[in-house]
Amino acid sequence: MSKTDPFGFDMSVSSAKKKNPRGRKGMSGASETSTRICDHPGCEEAGKYRAPKAPDVLDDYYWFCQAHVREYNLKWNFFDGTTEAEMNAQASKDKVWNRETRRFNDPEARAWARLGIEDPHQVLGVNATQNPGKARTGRRKLPPTERRAVEILEAEDHWSKADVRKAYKSLIKVLHPDINGGDRSQEEQLQQVVWAWDQIKDSRNFK
């Protein structure tokens, strides 16, 4: 299969490397385009292997031949000249990828504080108070029978079972003829209240 496309351009990776040989490295790590001489005193071999000059100067390099870069690497010690405390501090930084962690109560640790904002709601500007949110009533999903029971008992769906029971007892005192002085005019409503409490007291939706 031809490596060229129908328009006559060679799209292969090797072709791109041939056109741009700058900085190309071989499998051994040698810079194939380097024209330097080995930096080891007295060596006249080609310096195709780079090595950092010091732990605190990692972007400035010596260039060695293969034999001398191996010798240099064997003697290399990133922590040379550092104290034990400095080594421990560096190890701690490496655990968090050199990103300083801050206490939760540090104001500067808050994203909005770094933007010069004292209150996170200020990020939204005038829109911060545009949506007051839904009222708690009606948020709980209930079966139709339980929803109807809540309405009959004049309760709220976010109440606990104990709170609903208090509402039920208050209605019973008003509607039951044995408690309200013998008035039987509201017996139909009383039956509805009793039915409603039966739905709620056995429901798993009210704790």
Side-chain angles (χ1 to χ4, degrees):
M1 181 177 178
S2 174
K3 292 184 179 180
T4 57
D5 71 350
F7 299 100
F9 296 101
D10 188 349
M11 303 295 289
S12 64
V13 175
S14 59
S15 173
K17 287 185 177 181
K18 289 178 182 178
K19 293 179 180 179
N20 185 22
R22 184 178 60 181
R24 193 168 70 248
K25 293 183 179 180
M27 293 296 291
S28 65
S31 176
E32 299 176 0
T33 58
S34 174
T35 58
R36 299 174 179 82
I37 301 299
C38 179
D39 284 328
H40 190 274
C43 182
E44 298 296 328
E45 297 291 330
K48 294 183 178 295
Y49 300 86
R50 70 180 190 178
K53 291 186 175 181
D56 56 344
V57 190
L58 296 177
D59 56 351
D60 194 9
Y61 305 98
Y62 291 119
W63 289 85
F64 295 113
C65 63
Q66 189 174 35
H68 288 126
V69 78
R70 288 176 178 173
E71 179 182 338
Y72 183 84
N73 287 340
L74 288 173
K75 298 177 181 179
W76 172 266
N77 182 0
F78 182 82
F79 293 104
D80 186 27
T82 59
T83 64
E84 183 177 357
E86 291 172 336
M87 290 176 62
N88 292 335
Q90 182 63 43
S92 298
K93 289 182 179 180
D94 290 342
K95 290 179 181 178
V96 293
W97 297 280
N98 287 321
R99 293 182 178 180
E100 182 183 358
T101 56
R102 295 181 178 179
R103 301 187 308 274
F104 287 112
N105 59 356
D106 184 355
E108 290 299 321
R110 301 169 183 164
W112 61 81
R114 293 195 293 272
L115 296 174
I117 298 173
E118 297 179 359
D119 187 339
H121 292 293
Q122 292 179 8
V123 175
L124 302 177
V126 295
N127 294 324
T129 57
Q130 292 291 317
N131 183 11
K134 297 180 180 178
R136 295 191 66 185
T137 303
R139 291 182 61 185
R140 182 183 296 184
K141 293 183 179 179
L142 298 175
T145 54
E146 293 182 16
R147 175 63 61 191
R148 176 58 181 157
V150 168
E151 293 173 355
I152 292 173
L153 295 172
E154 300 177 2
E156 302 289 351
D157 61 7
H158 62 269
W159 286 6
S160 67
K161 190 172 294 186
D163 292 332
V164 179
R165 188 168 182 268
K166 290 178 182 179
Y168 162 72
K169 284 188 172 183
S170 297
L171 290 172
I172 289 296
K173 290 179 181 179
V174 175
L175 303 174
H176 202 288
D178 291 344
I179 303 176
N180 65 7
D183 183 4
R184 296 181 178 274
S185 63
Q186 304 182 83
E187 285 188 347
E188 184 177 350
Q189 185 179 354
L190 173 62
Q191 292 176 0
Q192 292 182 355
V193 169
V194 173
W195 172 87
W197 172 241
D198 287 340
Q199 311 309 308
I200 301 300
K201 71 178 182 180
D202 296 327
S203 173
R204 295 182 179 179
N205 294 314
F206 293 85
K207 298 180 179 180

